[in-house]
Amino acid sequence: QVQLVESGGGVVQPGRSRRLSCTDSGFTFSSYAVHWVRQAPGKGLEWVAVISNDGSKKSYADSVKGRFTISRDNSKNTLYLQMNSLTPADTAVYYCARDLNPRDLATFLNWGAWFDPWGQGTLVIVSS
Amino acid sequence: DIVMTQSPDSLAVSLGERATINCRSSQTVLYSSNNKNYLAWYQQKPGQPPKLLIYWASTRGSGVPDRFSGSGSGTDFTLTISSLQAEDVAVYFCQQYYTASVTFGPGTKVDIK
């Protein structure tokens, strides 16, 4: 049973930082790229960031570029999202999701992917 | 970024009837070199994460019932639920992965009439 579990959400003040984690169980974590996708309350889905299986390739949405950093520790089967300079617009449920589009590292950032599975999500509320 | 739109915003269908959801991309998501459409569909029920239904525009995900089917090419796509079941009440999203900055449609809510 493949399962991703996010943690680290909560209430954070504007301008502050937060780190989210996503831990996998049930599949070979180091074999797959992984993404963060967020969903503001009652809204649609917004892709946030991706990291390749070995951590060498990363890409970010323009809305978070320069503020968020995606990373992974394959020895701990864990994905991270370091979020800095948070604003109320960052309030959302943050999901991690496995990348299922097989592609080599040379062309990794040429294409996106479909996602399966998704974690249950962790809610981040940015508010004073 | 590629902008994804969906229609209708919501629809209500009788149990056992067909439900059809449309998705359009602002530019083609068909890659001519491999003739594949970089388009996926997801189902999201309240309080749950999205669940993959379809990828490559028409390939069902693992364990997805065959009443769900995807079609279309280029910029216009359709998700069809051939015989709506009570458990299909959800919001459905399309997603393009033609670019690394993937984008999603706004969603279509499906209810029982």
Side-chain angles (χ1 to χ4, degrees), chain B residues 16-95:
Chain B
E17 296 300 307
R18 178 184 302 259
T20 301
I21 301 168
N22 300 300
C23 173
R24 176 168 289 176
S25 56
S26 62
Q27 64 187 73
T28 186
V29 297
L30 172 64
Y31 185 45
S32 56
S33 294
N34 60 12
N35 201 36
K36 288 187 173 183
N37 287 284
Y38 285 54
L39 191 284
W41 289 95
Y42 300 88
Q43 174 195 66
Q44 187 177 32
K45 298 179 180 180
Q48 295 185 19
K51 174 191 171 185
L52 175 70
L53 295 175
I54 302 282
Y55 58 98
W56 296 132
S58 61
T59 302
R60 273 188 297 276
S62 176
V64 175
D66 60 7
R67 64 179 181 273
F68 292 94
S69 64
S71 63
S73 185
T75 60
D76 291 282
F77 300 89
T78 299
L79 175 70
T80 301
I81 310 173
S82 61
S83 176
L84 192 75
Q85 306 299 303
E87 62 265 32
D88 300 335
V89 170
V91 178
Y92 293 83
F93 296 94
C94 59
Q95 175 225 337

